[in-house]
Amino acid sequence: MTATTRTITGQTEPFRRAAPPDSWNGSTPATQILVLTMRSLRALVIDPRMLLISMLGPLLMLVVFGQIFAGMAHAPGFPPHMRYIDFLVPAIMMTTALQSALNTATGLIQEMKSGIISRFLSLPIWPGSVLLARSLADLTRTSLQLSFLVLISFLAFGFTPPGGVVGTFAALGMALIVGGCLGWIFIALACHVRRVEVMQGIAGLVTFPLMFASNAFAPVSGLPPWLRAVASVNPMTYGIDTARNLTLGRPVGGSAISAISISLAIVVVSVLLAVSGFRRAGAPR
């Protein structure tokens, strides 16, 4: 309140005038993330074809790789008394979660081009909330993909791991953690590259070694020595190994700690790079 005076019938008397209201500084980051996540998920409700197409991708990988590498179960070095479908499904979980992050990055670049990102950055919001919201929305879609993958694997391919339902969904959670963390590599690239063509080219170079220089489709012991060395430092190797042990009802050992530790280290660096690039994303290149 501020004091001033006014004149009434030749006399001056003081009166108090209300101060202007405080300016709005925006909602909390948690509210921003929630609202923006629901905005991204609304696209799946408006056009469910996007969800349907995204679910067919993992099934195609399951059928193709299941047929091509089925004989791997009889190769030397393959875990004894294990069917290849039980070996393959946890790997498809992990690679699906990783590839879904590429869709996050591509969608982010398209929004930069459309100008919606510029409008977001003109509002009193934390820039990181836009990135986190997109990541959470795609993780939600990925969880639906993986749940559908497990269901079809059970019904059509006889996927009945000893770990049961608990172990299978624990493996699903591990896939979301590792794949979601590694996916921030693509988000950081999108914030700096800002071109879909260049982004997809770089993503292919990153995804290929992460997927194939690992134990996804063959045991590490069966790889050439130089490829085995690459697989030994690949976080996907530890994530897939953890997911397999969970579905098989075996102890996860240190593989879970290694997978989560490496993934968290990558996500911290990637988030910092993504936010710094996103702050300059007001106008597309």
Side-chain angles (χ1 to χ4, degrees), residues 138-162:
D138 279 327
L139 281 177
T140 303
R141 182 180 64 180
T142 303
S143 66
L144 296 177
Q145 286 180 274
L146 297 183
S147 299
F148 184 68
L149 171 68
V150 170
L151 178 62
I152 296 301
S153 300
F154 171 74
L155 295 177
F157 297 93
F159 176 64
T160 54

Side-chain angles (χ1 to χ4, degrees), residues 182-201:
L182 296 181
W184 274 89
I185 298 175
F186 302 133
I187 296 176
L189 286 172
C191 291
H192 289 274
V193 174
R194 306 182 207 168
R195 289 189 59 185
V196 175
E197 299 82 2
V198 178
M199 174 67 211
Q200 290 177 337

